[in-house]
Amino acid sequence: MKLSVLDLAPVIAPADPAAALEQAAILAQLAERLGYARYWVAEHHDMPGLACTAPEVLLAHIGARTQRIRLGSGALLLPHYKPMKVAESFHLLATLYPGRIDLGIGRAPGGSAHAAIALSGNFLGNVSRMPETLQALMDFLHQRYTYEGQPVTARPLPAEPPQVWLLGTNTKSAAFAAQHGAGYVFGHFMSDADGAETIAAYREQFQPSAHRAEPKAMLAVAAICAETEEEANRLAAESQAWLRPPSEQMASSDMPSGSGRLLAGTPDSLRVQLASLGRLCHADEYL
């Protein structure tokens, strides 16, 4: 059973953002010691409870404090950015940390409507251009981008390019991943969609690329593990309260959702739950 970590870099009182980011590095180091495959960090904007607004910056820091574990974005929110800048940033990371970098792409706003507009203007318009933006990014990563007939390269060129993944919660994101020969991550913890159906659609439509010859799917799962079932359930209840803060502090739509799909239990019972879910969805790895 291959396990990886997705970190939202939470700021939990009385800690401040600096302490939260230090905890992110400690978590990555612990995951590496325990044999986890990857450490990924999410991107969110103008959320008091979350500290990471720039995954590529935090990953550069954590790369210097780890040795082997793969590092990635889960996800970098592509509609906010120009493809060349994204390719340059992750090429730089892949040059600094050879064979360890994953570029996970998403298309959510990562915050409120006002934060999205402040960051990149007309977000809905940017999302509507996602097919073209994603194609341009893949062209940069494959060194085939041209502008007015002239090649443009996103340097530095790493010896081993970043692995590309698309994250999503429906068949549209799965289709994007399949079309571009990328890995796919289904957000089980934040979706009511059928994960088995979505991953099956990805596998059926997958087109091999220079980066990946065969489809590979992950499940992003929220899980609470403790020594006893009672303790796991208590921690799960606390987690749900944090994930859905009072409306006067922040709209629930601005925070990660899906607490109803939270898994909880002892190591043995969680292993059974994850194995069952993996068989159902034909997933290769759990995030």
Side-chain angles (χ1 to χ4, degrees):
M1 184 178 294
K2 198 170 185 179
L3 301 177
S4 293
V5 172
L6 173 61
D7 190 3
L8 303 185
V11 183
I12 301 174
D16 61 9
L21 294 173
E22 175 61 20
Q23 286 297 316
I26 291 171
L27 175 59
Q29 291 170 330
L30 176 61
E32 182 172 75
R33 289 199 301 273
L34 295 177
Y36 282 71
R38 311 170 198 273
Y39 169 88
W40 284 11
V41 65
E43 174 185 345
H44 293 92
H45 299 281
D46 192 23
M47 292 190 181
L50 301 175
C52 185
T53 54
E56 67 276 20
V57 176
L58 184 54
L59 292 175
H61 172 66
I62 289 177
R65 297 180 59 174
T66 53
Q67 300 297 321
R68 300 173 305 280
I69 194 168
R70 292 193 68 91
L71 305 172
S73 52
L76 184 132
L77 305 178
L78 186 58
H80 289 309
Y81 307 111
K82 293 291 188 180
M84 182 174 179
K85 185 60 177 177
V86 173
E88 286 180 333
S89 296
F90 278 79
H91 274 174
L92 181 54
L93 285 170
T95 302
L96 288 169
Y97 308 113
R100 297 178 58 196
I101 299 301
D102 299 325
L103 171 53
I105 294 294
R107 57 192 185 100
S112 69
H114 290 90
I117 291 170
L119 183 62
S120 61
N122 183 352
F123 182 78
L124 291 179
N126 294 341
V127 169
S128 72
R129 293 187 291 274
M130 183 71 173
E132 294 83 0
T133 305
L134 184 56
Q135 182 61 63
L137 174 61
M138 298 303 288
D139 287 344
F140 275 116
L141 295 173
H142 289 97
Q143 300 174 44
R144 63 190 182 206
Y145 184 88
T146 62
Y147 184 78
E148 294 184 344
Q150 296 299 310
V152 181
T153 303
R155 302 181 188 277
L157 295 177
E160 184 173 332
Q163 287 187 7
V164 181
W165 297 79
L166 266 74
L167 288 76
T169 57
N170 54 47
T171 54
K172 189 167 187 177
S173 56
F176 279 142
Q179 175 187 349
H180 292 284
Y184 181 63
V185 184
F186 177 75
H188 175 273
F189 74 98
M190 56 186 294
S191 173
D192 294 325
D194 187 330
E197 177 182 316
T198 305
I199 291 177
Y202 159 70
R203 291 187 180 278
E204 290 168 4
Q205 300 173 47
F206 182 84
Q207 301 176 28
S209 69
H211 285 314
R212 188 176 297 282
E214 298 179 348
K216 186 168 184 179
M218 275 195 265
L219 280 174
V221 179
I224 298 289
C225 188
E227 292 183 357
T228 66
E229 296 287 345
E230 293 76 16
E231 178 67 1
N233 290 331
R234 184 188 69 78
L235 291 170
E238 289 185 5
S239 173
Q240 291 178 1
W242 181 79
L243 287 170
R244 295 185 180 278
S247 58
E248 64 270 15
Q249 295 180 15
M250 186 179 302
S252 61
S253 62
D254 291 342
M255 291 296 292
S257 60
S259 56
R261 306 193 75 171
L262 178 67
L263 306 181
T266 63
D268 285 341
S269 67
L270 265 184
R271 184 168 62 245
V272 171
Q273 292 178 63
L274 288 172
S276 176
L277 187 60
R279 286 192 299 270
L280 176 67
C281 296
H282 299 285
D284 304 300
E285 189 173 334
Y286 303 92
L287 184 65

